[in-house]
Amino acid sequence: MRNWFKGGEPWIWMTAGAVALSLVSVYAVLWMTAAQGLGHWWPKPLAETTLTEADGSVKRLIGELRDKEEISLQRLRESGYDIKSDDQFTSRYLFKQGNRDVYGVDFKWIPAPLLGEFKYPKDVIAIERHEWGSFFGHLKAVKENGQVVAEGKAAWPELEKRLARSNALFDEILSSEKQDIGKVNYNLERLRLKQRKLELQGGLTEAAQAGIDQERQIHETEFARLQARLDGLRAQNARDSLTAEIQDGQVIEIPFGKIADVIKPNDMSVVQKISHYLQKLSEFIVDDPREANTEGGIFPAIFGTVMMVLLMSAMVTPLGIMAAVYMREYARQGPLIQIIRISVNNLAGVPSIVYGVFGLGFFIYFLGGNIDALFFPEASPAPVFGSPGILWSSLTLALLTLPVVIVATEEGLSRVPRSIREGSLALGATKAETLWRTVLPIASPAMMTGLILAVARAAGEVAPLMLVGVVKLAPSLPLDGNFPFLHLERKFMHLGFHIYDVGFQSPNVEAARPLVFATSLLLVIIIIVLNMFAIRLRNRLRERMRGLESV
């Protein structure tokens, strides 16, 4: 036994056990996240049952059974439920009744003893609306301009046909609002700023004013044409509507323009359910959010996260490499350089919110404010670069991850054999040529390691971004078709902040819960993809330099 301990085998087994436990924990978290999030879009059956009220009256319920848990009967009695039973525990269901515009809430916990028999009628429909969430009920009729065109069993085929038309019109309206009218508004704002700049510089002559007025007239004419076209599309989309009976017997009329999708979940085959699931999953990735970010997609958050990471990488990599090269290759090694190294290592442990406060004070208020005063006085009092934006967010995270890149690059430079440097110098190369053509290529895998660690940390940071650029909902992307195309001053959405906002700031917690898990899983996948790309590049560089290292 003593020899066994002396040989170090117990420590080997302990290390292997720790690695195995870490892997199991990681996979368990990923599995739980995927299980909770990816099942959100699978069509759930709609149950129809009865609820016995406290006064003895019975009402009908239609909705989804989302969850079930055991609960103490004593706790239910203390909450006001009059349940007669000798058991100590019973079940209660989380029932999604939808129709939030009618009932005020769409989720409620109901004790099982108060519910009747569950039935699953095939004619019940689930409507996904652009506003007010889900709608559950029985389809009665389809109308055109207020006149019934189909009812009963004939209503469903007519609904599908008119819904496809309505969705096409809705997409056309949305595209016109965001792209065509958005471009005209952007050009009008640029003209306003141009006129204001000439006024401040004293160069607003009659000829310049006439040119601006002429150009503004062109844009205003285009705006009027687009607005008239938009009003026509909205009028077309308001033509059709449907009527449906909800659980309390009311017949509600819903315009097709407010409907995103309609399904019969109790009458769908497995193939139809898979097709519907894949469609909703793709919409989650490519669409914009709606309903306080609890429905729709998260494409702006995905775009903002990836773009911020790429900008941060482009900023932190040259800064970190130049700092490491100077300290390792050019600076005289002494107490000053040692203090700098200790400071760099200590910066890696500074809380991220401190970097956010620094970015707010230095980048936004000082640097951005001075840029506005020097180059954009015509925009005053509205700030351009003097307000949070994706540029300042990327710079703040670049400072946050700079110590990681410096340390990794220095370690890579220190592992380059001295004989390689001496051989290069002996062949007549200068120190700069030796560094550029020999040392840096050999150390490039270590530089990529630093970048990988920087990307992994920056992609998940939230606290500093809340101060320097991220918002709950961004009206436009930082990259679009309007000159100069890349708008670094704009605010942006971020997956990490989106998770925080949906999980802790949502007015509808139960509806938001699965989206928190789905967004978390997507953020992990994006980080893995970015890291895999960098790792592949690092391995390729390592294979290319392996022969040189062995010289």
Side-chain angles (χ1 to χ4, degrees):
M1 181 65 69
R2 182 178 299 175
N3 293 333
W4 187 59
F5 273 97
K6 286 184 177 180
E9 291 191 23
W11 318 121
I12 296 175
W13 281 102
M14 289 178 63
T15 303
V19 172
L21 182 61
S22 300
L23 290 175
V24 170
S25 301
V26 170
Y27 289 132
V29 169
L30 291 177
W31 178 85
M32 181 197 70
T33 305
Q36 294 287 337
L38 294 181
H40 174 63
W41 298 280
W42 185 260
K44 299 172 180 61
L46 285 176
E48 186 171 309
T49 184
T50 57
L51 171 64
T52 303
E53 299 282 11
D55 58 0
S57 61
V58 178
K59 71 175 185 179
R60 184 177 57 166
L61 288 180
I62 299 175
E64 300 174 356
L65 298 176
R66 283 297 187 91
D67 201 359
K68 179 183 178 182
E69 67 178 16
E70 297 293 318
I71 190 172
S72 168
L73 277 173
Q74 181 62 30
R75 180 181 170 187
L76 288 176
R77 293 189 183 103
E78 291 174 355
S79 301
Y81 290 99
D82 184 18
I83 300 177
K84 297 178 174 59
S85 175
D86 295 331
D87 297 331
Q88 293 184 350
F89 296 92
T90 188
S91 300
R92 69 172 182 173
Y93 293 97
L94 179 61
F95 201 81
K96 181 182 179 182
Q97 62 180 352
N99 308 355
R100 190 168 67 248
D101 52 334
V102 179
Y103 303 115
V105 294
D106 50 358
F107 285 89
K108 59 190 304 185
W109 285 98
I110 304 176
L114 302 181
L115 295 173
E117 180 185 359
F118 290 109
K119 299 179 181 179
Y120 298 91
K122 291 188 176 182
D123 64 330
V124 69
I125 61 173
I127 302 177
E128 179 187 348
R129 297 181 289 183
H130 297 296
E131 296 178 353
W132 296 107
S134 301
F135 179 95
F136 302 139
H138 294 272
L139 179 64
K140 290 299 181 182
V142 175
K143 296 182 177 181
E144 179 180 328
N145 294 324
Q147 302 297 320
V148 175
V149 294
E151 56 185 346
K153 292 184 179 181
W156 179 253
E158 192 68 25
L159 182 151
E160 290 183 309
K161 180 177 67 175
R162 293 174 183 262
L163 180 62
R165 170 187 175 274
S166 176
N167 284 340
L169 287 171
F170 182 85
D171 292 340
E172 192 173 354
I173 291 171
L174 188 63
S175 175
S176 180
E177 289 176 339
K178 294 184 65 175
Q179 297 181 15
D180 300 333
I181 294 181
K183 185 175 182 179
V184 172
N185 287 331
Y186 181 79
N187 290 329
L188 287 172
E189 178 63 14
R190 290 187 66 193
L191 278 178
R192 186 189 71 81
L193 294 176
K194 180 181 179 181
Q195 179 177 346
R196 176 61 178 163
K197 186 175 182 179
L198 291 174
E199 289 176 355
L200 293 175
Q201 295 174 350
L204 187 60
T205 62
E206 292 185 2
Q209 182 66 59
I212 291 175
D213 291 341
Q214 182 180 1
E215 189 173 354
R216 181 183 289 114
Q217 183 62 40
I218 294 174
H219 292 307
E220 288 178 347
T221 303
E222 178 67 10
F223 180 85
R225 185 188 69 82
L226 291 172
Q227 188 63 47
R229 177 175 175 271
L230 190 62
D231 292 340
L233 291 174
R234 286 172 176 164
Q236 293 181 47
N237 205 21
R239 186 194 72 178
D240 300 327
S241 62
L242 63 83
T243 57
E245 180 186 337
I246 58 177
Q247 60 190 25
D248 62 2
Q250 295 185 62
V251 177
I252 306 295
E253 183 171 352
I254 305 176
F256 273 78
K258 297 182 178 180
I259 298 175
D261 197 9
V262 183
I263 60 172
K264 286 184 175 180
N266 299 341
D267 194 28
M268 296 175 70
S269 65
V270 175
V271 175
Q272 290 173 325
K273 289 183 177 181
I274 293 175
S275 175
H276 176 80
Y277 175 81
L278 295 177
Q279 176 189 345
K280 294 304 171 184
L281 186 60
S282 63
E283 289 177 1
F284 176 68
I285 296 175
V286 301
D287 282 358
D288 293 343
R290 62 176 189 270
E291 286 290 293
N293 291 344
T294 60
E295 292 187 15
I298 56 171
F299 176 75
I302 298 173
F303 185 89
T305 302
V306 174
M307 185 174 179
M308 185 210 64
V309 169
L310 294 178
L311 288 173
M312 182 275 303
S313 302
M315 295 172 184
V316 74
T317 303
L319 290 176
I321 291 175
M322 286 189 293
V325 167
Y326 174 77
M327 288 193 296
R328 175 59 60 177
E329 300 293 329
Y330 288 98
R332 177 179 293 180
Q333 303 302 310
L336 179 60
I337 294 299
Q338 189 64 26
I339 292 174
I340 293 176
R341 285 199 179 96
I342 293 173
S343 301
V344 168
N345 292 329
N346 288 336
L347 282 175
V350 174
S352 60
I353 191 65
V354 176
Y355 286 95
V357 173
F358 173 80
L360 180 65
F362 179 74
F363 289 135
I364 297 175
Y365 291 157
F366 176 73
L367 191 58
N370 286 318
I371 290 175
D372 285 351
L374 291 173
F375 301 104
F376 303 99
E378 67 275 10
S380 181
V384 179
F385 284 94
S387 66
I390 193 170
L391 173 63
W392 307 132
S393 298
S394 302
L395 277 172
T396 301
L397 290 187
L399 288 181
L400 174 69
T401 56
L402 185 61
V404 177
V405 178
I406 292 176
V407 171
T409 303
E410 267 210 278
E411 290 179 355
L413 293 172
S414 65
R415 288 198 298 266
V416 177
R418 185 179 181 84
S419 58
I420 291 181
R421 293 182 174 87
E422 293 174 348
S424 177
L425 294 172
L427 292 173
T430 63
K431 186 172 183 178
E433 290 174 336
T434 299
L435 178 67
W436 184 256
R437 296 179 178 273
T438 304
V439 177
L440 288 181
I442 295 176
S444 57
M447 300 175 193
M448 293 301 302
T449 299
L451 180 60
I452 292 168
L453 297 174
V455 167
R457 183 177 182 187
E461 284 291 346
V462 176
L465 298 180
M466 295 169 66
L467 301 176
V468 293
V470 73
V471 290
K472 174 186 178 73
L473 186 63
S476 55
L477 297 177
L479 184 67
D480 59 21
N482 298 319
F483 182 83
F485 311 116
L486 180 60
H487 307 274
L488 297 177
E489 78 282 0
R490 287 183 181 174
K491 297 176 178 61
F492 68 105
M493 295 182 66
H494 185 272
L495 284 172
F497 182 77
H498 187 81
I499 293 169
Y500 163 77
D501 175 70
V502 174
F504 298 98
Q505 305 295 321
S506 173
N508 197 345
V509 177
E510 296 296 342
R513 183 182 301 168
L515 293 181
V516 172
F517 288 101
T519 309
S520 300
L521 180 64
L522 186 60
L523 177 58
V524 172
I525 291 174
I526 288 176
I527 294 174
I528 291 175
V529 169
L530 292 172
N531 284 342
M532 290 298 294
F533 175 77
I535 289 171
R536 182 177 179 84
L537 182 59
R538 182 190 64 183
N539 292 340
R540 182 171 296 181
L541 292 172
R542 183 175 294 167
E543 290 295 328
R544 185 178 298 175
M545 296 301 145
R546 182 168 295 174
L548 185 57
E549 288 178 343
S550 61
V551 175

